[in-house]
Amino acid sequence: MTLSRRDALAALVGSAFALTFGPLAHAEDKKITLGFAQVGAESAWRTANTVSVKSAATEAGINLKFSDAQQKQENQIKAIRSYIAQKVDVIAFSPVVESGWEPVLLEAKNAKIPVILTDRNIDVKDKSLYVTMIGSDFLEEGRRAGKWLEERYKNEPGPINIAELQGTVGSAPANDRRAGLLEVIKNDPKFKVIASQSGDFTLAGGKQVMEAFVKTYGKKINVVYAHNDDMALGAIQAMEEAGWKPGKDVSVVSFDATKGGFQAMVAGKINVDVECSPLLGPQLMTAVKDVVAGKQLPKRIVTEETVFPMSVAAEVMPTRKY
Ligand code: AHR
């Protein structure tokens, strides 16, 4: 049997993992302890993600140690160090930002504690510092939003001025949702990103940034490109307070597809919501059990997602789980 280059690489990564961590010494009847370092509680998405992780751990019979980093990388690093000191079986975390993880992940590797990334990716050269990454493809999400914009404005000459509400600076979803949009619109000069600022993925942040955009750019803005629903909802408040009609005289593009996002679509205030699922708990617990059992895992597990334009919102809303 001949292996494709990809399969051969996967096998190599798998055996490198087995060599690094060995078959984990774990008595069959002992409860697995998982240390989970969460980003914070910045958004409705995050709240749903925390609920998913906690309830999946209970259901899987996994002993969960949970910490909230309040959107600060240093808090997450402290939490990971404390999980290493407590000798948990597996560490999982959703990294606040992409860079700066090598030292602490090396400490985990030296302590032979496998690390699983969920939701957000990291930027490290040595991929053996983590076992797998479970979550969305944020770059693809940005492309999906860009394609929706191209279609929406295909018969308009432009300029189409975009005001961007970015997520947390340096985070994977903020970097990739921006990059995905730019990749799609780069060959169409009618689209221009005229303003870009971080609202840190919060409703209050989105509102504050949008208030400033309204003052500086006024009705030059054709599109609000918000990196999540909470910021989109904050921006909607700011626009309405300025007497604008979000969703009508300005297109609002958002991410997550939470219940709040759907309600705004049904009310005609968000035009499209690109789905990003927070319900990662069950997949994470399966991965934790597999790692402890010494099974090989794919390096990347991508969540399946779609795009919801405003036109389908009323019909789909009753089926939404977060
Ligand atoms: O990492 C996922 C992002 O983080 C979600 O889009 C956002 O709502 C959350 O805070």
Side-chain angles (χ1 to χ4, degrees):
M1 189 187 78
T2 49
L3 285 178
S4 70
R5 276 178 64 172
R6 217 168 128 219
D7 290 343
L9 192 68
L12 203 68
V13 170
S15 43
F17 170 76
L19 281 176
T20 310
F21 296 102
L24 296 172
H26 195 271
E28 282 288 300
D29 52 349
K30 199 188 138 218
K31 238 188 171 187
I32 298 171
T33 296
L34 167 69
F36 185 84
Q38 180 59 290
V39 170
E42 73 282 5
S43 62
W45 189 102
R46 188 64 55 199
T47 306
N49 181 246
T50 293
V51 170
S52 173
V53 169
K54 287 184 174 172
S55 59
T58 308
E59 220 157 275
I62 288 174
N63 174 30
L64 179 72
K65 291 179 183 289
F66 183 91
S67 61
D68 173 339
Q70 298 180 337
Q71 287 187 279
K72 291 197 172 70
Q73 182 177 32
E74 64 263 33
N75 291 346
Q76 256 185 339
I77 291 176
K78 264 190 218 148
I80 294 170
R81 289 211 166 108
S82 103
Y83 295 146
I84 296 171
Q86 292 171 63
K87 298 188 175 28
V88 299
D89 299 302
V90 181
I91 292 172
F93 76 114
S94 172
V96 177
V97 289
E98 287 194 274
S99 60
W101 295 104
E102 277 92 348
V104 73
L105 293 188
L106 201 59
E107 290 168 35
K109 185 175 172 177
N110 290 339
K112 297 204 178 343
I113 301 177
V115 171
I116 297 176
L117 305 177
T118 71
D119 163 33
R120 297 184 181 177
N121 220 330
I122 56 174
D123 187 11
V124 286
K125 276 212 185 83
D126 180 0
K127 304 286 181 212
S128 78
L129 291 175
Y130 63 90
V131 181
T132 185
M133 194 277 149
I134 305 169
S136 309
D137 181 342
F138 298 131
L139 192 65
E140 188 51 34
E141 289 178 357
R143 290 185 190 122
R144 286 176 180 159
K147 284 178 195 154
W148 182 89
L149 278 173
E150 277 196 322
E151 182 59 26
R152 160 68 183 82
Y153 289 102
K154 67 177 180 217
N155 296 323
E156 294 191 26
I160 307 298
N161 294 322
I162 303 172
E164 182 187 29
L165 294 169
Q166 291 197 8
T168 302
V169 175
S171 68
N175 292 342
D176 291 352
R177 286 172 185 165
R178 175 177 173 81
L181 168 74
L182 296 182
E183 185 188 302
V184 173
I185 64 172
K186 72 170 184 273
N187 296 322
D188 192 342
K190 83 177 170 208
F191 289 106
K192 284 192 179 63
V193 179
I194 57 166
S196 238
Q197 211 176 302
S198 173
D200 215 8
F201 282 127
T202 67
L203 189 144
K207 184 170 187 221
Q208 203 183 354
V209 173
M210 195 64 218
E211 281 165 355
F213 285 172
V214 167
K215 275 198 198 114
T216 311
Y217 302 97
K219 288 289 179 84
K220 263 207 224 152
I221 298 171
N222 306 106
V223 175
V224 169
Y225 184 80
H227 287 192
N228 80 344
D229 283 345
D230 298 74
M231 291 192 297
L233 296 175
I236 288 168
Q237 285 180 14
M239 287 187 270
E240 288 183 329
E241 283 169 19
W244 297 13
K245 288 195 169 51
K248 293 184 182 66
D249 45 23
V250 177
S251 292
V252 180
V253 176
S254 186
F255 295 85
D256 286 354
T258 56
K259 282 187 182 150
F262 263 81
Q263 276 158 6
M265 279 201 281
V266 172
K269 297 175 185 181
I270 289 181
N271 301 76
V272 65
D273 213 332
V274 179
E275 188 181 31
C276 174
S277 175
L279 308 178
L280 304 173
Q283 270 173 309
L284 172 61
M285 299 312 149
T286 304
V288 167
K289 285 186 173 177
D290 285 350
V291 168
V292 171
K295 286 191 197 157
Q296 255 185 45
L297 288 177
K299 201 72 195 173
R300 183 76 172 91
I301 300 171
V302 183
T303 320
E304 271 184 39
E305 287 154 350
T306 187
V307 176
F308 298 107
M310 182 199 265
S311 55
V312 304
E315 194 192 329
V316 175
M317 191 157 79
T319 66
R320 298 304 289 161
K321 294 200 169 59
Y322 61 93

